[in-house]
Amino acid sequence: MTRLPALALIFGICLFRPGVVSAMARPGLNDYVSNALVITLVRAQTPDEAAAFPAPVANQRVIVQQVLKGVETRQEFLLPAGSLKPGARGLVLFRFKGEFFELSPTRDKPDPEIVIWSLKDDGIIDIKNTPLEYMRVDIPWRVVNDYVATASPEEVNLNERVTEALLFPEKFKAFATGNARRAAYVRFVIAVRDLGRDVPALAGFLESDDADTRAAAEARLKALTHADVPEPKDDSPAALADWSAAWAKQTLPIQPPKLSDWPAIPANAKQPPDAFPKALLKAVQDGNPD
């Protein structure tokens, strides 16, 4: 018991030494993962790919290889030039601005920011010159999967299931047969984000390197927009990107309600009187809830 005051004093001195508090307050890997809306594993274009399909000035094009968290239908997107070495892989996190524990009462919907972690050849996250540098440990990128599974288990393989539900309903139906609860969550995500009618999101699938995915996305877009965008002459990344961009510009048709959907207009053009059951009217009048 006599050691407790001394230990408390030592702990207090260590805790409030300069630099110790800031180190403890720094967000770790789990904080970044938990606060991310979307996490993708990407690969930067090789020099040959960049020559065939150049990115705009001051940008670098990356190809999505796997979605670890959230929903991302884009098959490629742009990062600031030099974010990754040519052909190198990296993790891209779309997260809320500010630190994980920081609240912003003046901003209802914080704008997401992009955090980029490049990967070494052996799959280790290169934490040099990043906010994670203080950790001084090797972090394999697959550890991010573990954090997602622990903190947000509903996000595991969510992107794949959403893709199935949107483009391959029969396959998703078979999945739902033995996974009703999980399927209900996938449908909930699609409904809340209105992904089934999100033309730009669906158009993102058109850049997939899988022909069946492109065909299914095109069929859904045609049924949704009633438009007919000519198919690309080839399946090169540049041609597919142009095709996807053309589809993304399409809009949902405006469908005015049919006259048959409206009730008939009374002959005297006056609103008909409300007709409630006499028993209900008497109960209300008598104040009888039963």
Side-chain angles (χ1 to χ4, degrees), residues 38-218:
V38 176
I39 303 176
T40 59
L41 173 67
V42 303
R43 176 182 62 79
Q45 285 182 314
T46 64
D48 289 342
E49 290 173 333
F53 184 23
V57 177
N59 287 271
Q60 179 182 40
R61 195 180 308 278
V62 295
I63 293 88
V64 177
Q65 293 191 314
Q66 186 177 346
V67 179
L68 308 183
K69 182 181 180 182
V71 177
E72 178 60 82
T73 64
R74 293 179 298 176
Q75 310 299 300
E76 52 90 6
F77 55 84
L78 300 174
L79 293 178
S83 296
L84 298 173
K85 295 179 180 178
R89 297 186 303 165
L91 294 176
V92 180
L93 295 79
F94 296 87
R95 64 190 295 270
F96 291 119
K97 287 184 177 179
E99 303 297 354
F100 173 72
F101 47 80
E102 199 173 74
L103 299 178
S104 178
T106 60
R107 185 185 294 120
D108 294 332
K109 295 181 179 179
D111 297 327
E113 67 174 351
I114 298 177
V115 176
I116 306 168
W117 294 334
S118 61
L119 301 182
K120 301 177 182 178
D121 292 340
D122 57 1
I124 300 297
I125 299 175
D126 188 356
I127 62 175
K128 187 176 182 181
N129 299 322
T130 74
L132 300 178
E133 187 171 10
Y134 76 95
M135 298 180 68
R136 299 179 181 178
V137 294
D138 289 340
I139 307 174
W141 74 265
R142 295 188 183 278
V143 169
V144 173
N145 273 337
D146 299 333
Y147 277 123
V148 172
T150 301
S152 308
E154 71 280 358
E155 298 283 346
V156 176
N157 296 326
L158 177 61
N159 195 72
E160 289 81 354
R161 297 306 178 197
V162 167
T163 301
E164 285 181 1
L166 290 173
L167 303 183
F168 305 104
E170 291 301 320
K171 185 177 181 180
F172 181 74
K173 184 178 179 180
F175 166 79
T177 300
N179 301 272
R181 187 171 181 178
R182 178 63 171 167
Y185 179 74
V186 172
R187 295 190 186 100
F188 171 78
V189 170
I190 292 174
V192 167
R193 303 185 187 183
D194 203 14
L195 292 173
R197 303 192 315 146
D198 190 332
V199 174
L202 292 169
F205 290 117
L206 296 177
E207 292 190 67
S208 172
D209 55 7
D210 178 64
D212 291 338
T213 298
R214 296 198 302 269
E218 182 186 21

Side-chain angles (χ1 to χ4, degrees), residues 266-285:
N268 59 4
K270 293 182 179 181
Q271 183 177 354
D274 293 328
F276 295 104
K278 292 182 179 180
L280 175 61
L281 292 175
K282 188 176 186 307
V284 172
Q285 186 176 5

